[in-house]
Amino acid sequence: MKKNDLILQTTTKVVTFIIIIFAIHLFFAGHYTPGGGFVGGLTTSAALVLLLLAFDIKTVSKVIPFDYKKVAASGLLLAIVTGLGSFIFKVPFLTHTYSYFNLPLLGKTSLATVVLFDLGVYLVVVGVTMTIIQTIGESE
Amino acid sequence: MTSNFVIIPLLIPFVVGVVLIFFKDNIKLQRIISVLSLITTTAFAAYLVQLVQSKGVLTHELGNWKPPFGIVLVADMFASLLVLTASIVTLCCVLFAFHTIGERRERFYFYSFVQFLLVGVFGAFLTGDIFNLFVFFEVMLMSSYALIVIGGTKAQLRESLKYILVNVISSALFVIAVAYLYAVTGTLNMADLSQRIAEANQPGILTTIGMLLFIVFALKAALFPMYFWLPGSYSAPPPVIIGLFGALLTKVGVYSIFRTFTLLFYHHPEFTHQIIGYVALLTIVVGAVGAIAYSDVNKILIYNIIIAVGVIVYGVTLTTKAGFEGAIYYLIHDMIIKAALFLLAGIIIRITGTTKLKKMGGLIKDYPLLGWMFFIAIISLAGIPPLSGFIGKFLLVQGGLESESYTFVAVLLVSSLLVLYSAIKIFMSCFWGEPTLSAGQEKVSLKGILYPSAILLAVSVFLGLGAEAVIPYVSTAAQTLMDPSIYIQSVLKE
């Protein structure tokens, strides 16, 4: 049975971008306000799940051709590597540092290495959530 | 002493476990990477033991935050020795897996899960923070959930359900206990906790929390009333995985009981340690009953795990140095020998195609080497003098006599007899007698699957014959357990 999902699909196309932008906002807000890698990752997965609801698994995996298991693994690797980086400077594992930079558009901004660790968390959360949902969705 | 070496044995399996995910389908590469990484881990762990022996307790302050505010990893001799033992056992189990686990399981991240299991086990041994202990327990348990169900046979699915249920409940209890502890003391760092508990002289509420933690660890270590999940769960997965579980998982629970009741809650032994003592004795009795009751290879060995756990945990109540040394020695010996026995039992089951003793017989004609290796393993398990089981039990008996726990000494000696009986029962009905296999069934190739157990047996023989070389290390470990101030001072640096 073929249903007409026109309203759902059209709204999804608009809403997904808003959700993803909100997710990115949450991710970068994490250091000073509530937010961070975990909620950011979950919100991003929510956008992807909305796509899965409106379209089907094949279409979505054609549009976003990632192997989510590898996304999770890259996230883990990134988190470990930011920790390992501290060994180069002869300080204990996971010692983080930050500094202020004058960026072209944003002006004086503090950039911290913790963000890279959080990016790792973000990738793991997206990877794991999507792997779970895709695996359950595909199994008969 | 702050040192980066403390975290290296933890990081190698972690990085390797992640990297292996990328090579899902290249099984040959997975095997090479995991063996190389395990050899390096073993080497680093051995170096760590040496370093701790020469320089005292080493710490690693994560993120450069001073304890008690940050997370700290502490490598005292007890933890370092267990890290070394665990990496040797895992190396041998992975070598055994090459020829036995099957390509289907290897393709589904088997080697990654083994590495993550090792991360959890190492982390639990090395951490100096009680909430981190919980996290590493979960890392270990998550990997063990995956390993127990990998392959998806009917028995595995059934038993993994029970296993996960029991462990989820015990983990929830763990969090609750940590929450209580934090509410009362306001700290999570073990050294700081120890100091604050000592200052308050462990009032009733802290003793209660201590006993709650004991229940949690007893569930993980399979002590008397909480052992019910173990026999079923450990008979479902393939032999390699049972070997890993039998050698590592329950021992982490045992280690945590030692850590908690020598470092934190040692002020009212007349209450806490007495209960632990009774529970341990009952565990030995229950294990012995199970071991002689069954005529199934796996079940007999599984009940032998329970006996050994009881024997080691009783060691925490023996307040003499000999008692602690005995318990530590026996713990190391038991990890090695249980892995060896489960691997050998795996080979026997592969040859005969059954776990029932009645259907086996006469294997010594075709497999003499396997037979005599199994024989050495069981006499070492029972504690016959030149081998490793003897020294641990001897020191435990000595400690028991010194602290006048005559019941324990009697139970320990009788249980050794029953252990020997149960293991000899396997040997006699499996290797002696008339061959029961049909002509076409005979001669399973043992190429490549015998030497991992041979390595483990060699280590076990070394622990027995080379006791002179090992005792100084065990003695240092016992010294740190006896005197919590060594641990506290090296963490808080006062």
Side-chain angles (χ1 to χ4, degrees):
Chain A
M1 194 180 78
K2 185 94 176 146
K3 275 187 292 184
N4 191 347
D5 289 338
L6 188 65
I7 297 177
L8 179 64
Q9 292 184 349
T10 317
T11 344
T12 301
K13 281 174 197 164
V14 181
V15 170
T16 303
F17 283 102
I18 302 174
I19 300 177
I20 286 181
I21 289 166
F22 181 56
I24 293 170
H25 168 73
L26 277 176
F27 173 75
F28 281 109
H31 201 70
Y32 294 108
T33 50
F38 189 76
V39 248
L42 275 185
T43 320
T44 312
S45 327
L48 297 177
V49 170
L50 184 62
L51 281 178
L52 280 176
L53 285 175
F55 303 92
D56 61 318
I57 289 186
K58 269 183 198 151
T59 323
V60 175
S61 55
K62 204 179 283 170
V63 177
I64 311 165
F66 291 133
D67 179 354
Y68 286 106
K69 291 184 214 80
K70 286 188 178 155
V71 172
S74 336
L76 268 176
L77 208 56
L78 183 63
I80 305 171
V81 168
T82 54
L84 284 176
S86 58
F87 281 161
I88 301 169
F89 303 98
K90 299 229 160 72
V91 281
F93 185 64
L94 281 179
T95 307
H96 286 286
T97 182
Y98 67 94
S99 189
Y100 291 96
F101 292 97
N102 272 316
L103 295 181
L105 271 174
L106 299 167
K108 191 185 172 199
T109 318
S110 78
L111 293 183
T113 49
V114 182
V115 177
L116 292 175
F117 183 85
D118 232 26
L119 187 64
V121 175
Y122 176 89
L123 289 175
V124 172
V125 172
V126 172
V128 169
T129 323
M130 293 315 290
T131 309
I132 293 172
I133 287 168
Q134 275 193 343
T135 317
I136 296 173
E138 276 167 0
S139 70
E140 295 291 313
Chain B
M1 261 309 284
T2 302
S3 166
N4 276 346
F5 281 106
V6 177
I7 203 169
I8 302 276
L10 190 65
L11 283 178
I12 298 172
F14 192 14
V15 175
V16 169
V18 174
V19 168
L20 287 180
I21 298 177
F22 291 102
F23 306 111
K24 177 176 190 276
D25 293 315
N26 194 342
I27 292 172
K28 203 164 227 173
L29 193 63
Q30 288 208 37
R31 289 176 177 180
I32 294 170
I33 295 179
S34 32
V35 164
L36 284 181
S37 85
L38 285 168
I39 291 173
T40 349
T41 314
T42 314
F44 271 110
Y47 182 66
L48 184 64
V49 168
Q50 205 57 46
L51 213 58
V52 173
Q53 179 73 349
S54 60
K55 291 188 176 168
V57 181
L58 296 175
T59 58
H60 184 88
E61 291 149 2
L62 269 85
N64 222 355
W65 294 95
K66 297 288 164 244
F69 306 108
I71 296 164
V72 62
L73 294 183
V74 187
D76 65 342
M77 187 46 90
F78 188 30
S80 323
L81 281 175
L82 291 181
V83 166
L84 178 59
T85 319
S87 46
I88 294 173
V89 166
T90 317
L91 175 63
C92 294
C93 285
V94 164
L95 287 173
F96 186 78
F98 288 171
H99 296 274
T100 56
I101 195 83
E103 200 175 294
R104 207 163 62 91
R105 287 192 171 99
E106 283 178 310
R107 213 176 273 282
F108 271 91
Y109 306 106
F110 171 75
Y111 295 113
S112 281
F113 286 132
V114 171
Q115 300 284 343
F116 288 136
L117 183 79
L118 207 57
V119 175
V121 171
F122 284 175
F125 288 151
L126 289 174
T127 184
D129 181 293
I130 200 140
F131 192 75
N132 249 265
L133 180 65
F134 167 76
V135 173
F136 280 117
F137 256 107
E138 286 306 298
V139 171
M140 175 184 91
L141 288 172
M142 295 274 174
S143 328
S144 75
Y145 300 156
L147 283 174
I148 206 171
V149 82
I150 194 170
T153 61
K154 208 172 175 184
Q156 279 180 296
L157 290 174
R158 186 183 61 232
E159 295 304 333
S160 66
L161 200 65
K162 294 179 199 164
Y163 179 72
I164 293 172
L165 200 63
V166 167
N167 278 304
V168 165
I169 290 170
S170 75
S171 297
L173 268 179
F174 196 170
V175 179
I176 293 168
V178 170
Y180 285 154
L181 194 58
Y182 186 66
V184 175
T185 59
T187 182
L188 291 172
N189 181 287
M190 290 198 208
D192 198 30
L193 268 176
S194 173
Q195 264 188 340
R196 292 194 187 191
I197 291 170
E199 274 164 23
N201 195 24
Q202 197 180 333
I205 179 78
L206 280 170
T207 310
T208 316
I209 296 168
M211 290 322 283
L212 189 56
L213 281 173
F214 175 67
I215 292 174
V216 171
F217 297 140
L219 258 165
K220 314 270 186 199
L223 285 176
F224 163 60
M226 282 81 85
Y227 72 97
F228 54 88
W229 54 272
L230 186 123
S233 308
Y234 279 25
S235 48
V240 196
I241 296 172
I242 315 177
L244 269 177
F245 283 16
L248 302 179
L249 294 194
T250 49
K251 307 304 184 285
V252 179
V254 173
Y255 167 83
S256 309
I257 290 175
F258 263 86
R259 193 50 92 212
T260 327
F261 285 93
T262 56
L263 184 63
L264 306 179
F265 306 102
Y266 56 90
H267 301 280
H268 294 296
E270 74 282 354
F271 179 76
T272 49
H273 288 48
Q274 207 174 1
I275 292 181
I276 296 174
Y278 286 132
V279 167
L281 286 180
L282 285 169
T283 311
I284 303 175
V285 172
V286 167
V289 169
I292 51 176
Y294 280 96
S295 55
D296 175 301
V297 179
N298 270 342
K299 280 274 162 36
I300 293 175
L301 294 180
I302 286 166
Y303 277 98
N304 270 305
I305 301 181
I306 298 178
I307 300 177
V309 165
V311 170
I312 302 164
V313 168
Y314 197 90
V316 84
T317 67
L318 301 171
T319 39
T320 63
K321 195 162 178 238
F324 276 136
E325 279 180 7
I328 296 166
Y329 213 101
Y330 199 73
L331 181 55
I332 296 168
H333 146 80
D334 194 61
M335 286 167 81
I336 302 270
I337 207 70
K338 283 285 144 58
L341 271 171
F342 276 111
L343 297 189
L344 289 170
I347 300 174
I348 294 173
I349 294 165
R350 193 187 170 92
I351 293 170
T352 58
T354 175
T355 58
K356 301 272 177 295
L357 287 181
K358 279 178 193 147
K359 293 183 186 162
M360 299 175 178
L363 287 185
I364 201 83
K365 281 186 191 121
D366 290 322
Y367 308 98
L369 187 58
L370 173 67
W372 294 117
M373 273 168 67
F374 194 78
F375 184 71
I376 295 173
I378 55 181
I379 60 172
S380 176
L381 179 74
I384 307 286
L387 296 160
S388 63
F390 170 71
I391 294 150
K393 277 187 182 163
F394 175 75
L395 287 167
L396 276 171
V397 168
Q398 196 188 334
L401 292 177
E402 278 170 11
S403 53
E404 296 180 346
S405 334
Y406 298 116
T407 338
F408 168 67
V409 174
V411 169
L412 175 63
L413 294 177
V414 174
S415 82
S416 303
L417 198 65
L418 296 176
V419 165
L420 186 62
Y421 167 74
S422 69
I424 283 288
K425 194 168 73 179
I426 304 179
F427 182 71
M428 282 172 61
S429 57
C430 183
F431 288 98
W432 289 355
E434 286 301 307
T436 53
L437 301 173
S438 56
Q441 218 177 340
E442 274 171 42
K443 275 295 170 195
V444 175
S445 166
L446 294 184
K447 187 174 160 284
I449 57 178
L450 216 47
Y451 73 94
S453 344
I455 300 174
L456 287 170
L457 281 182
V459 174
S460 166
V461 170
F462 168 74
L463 279 176
L465 295 178
E468 292 270 310
V470 186
I471 281 290
Y473 298 97
V474 175
S475 173
T476 317
Q479 192 63 46
T480 326
L481 287 188
M482 292 281 288
D483 184 5
S485 66
I486 302 176
Y487 184 98
I488 296 169
Q489 266 163 18
S490 50
V491 175
L492 299 177
K493 299 189 181 64
E494 281 156 355

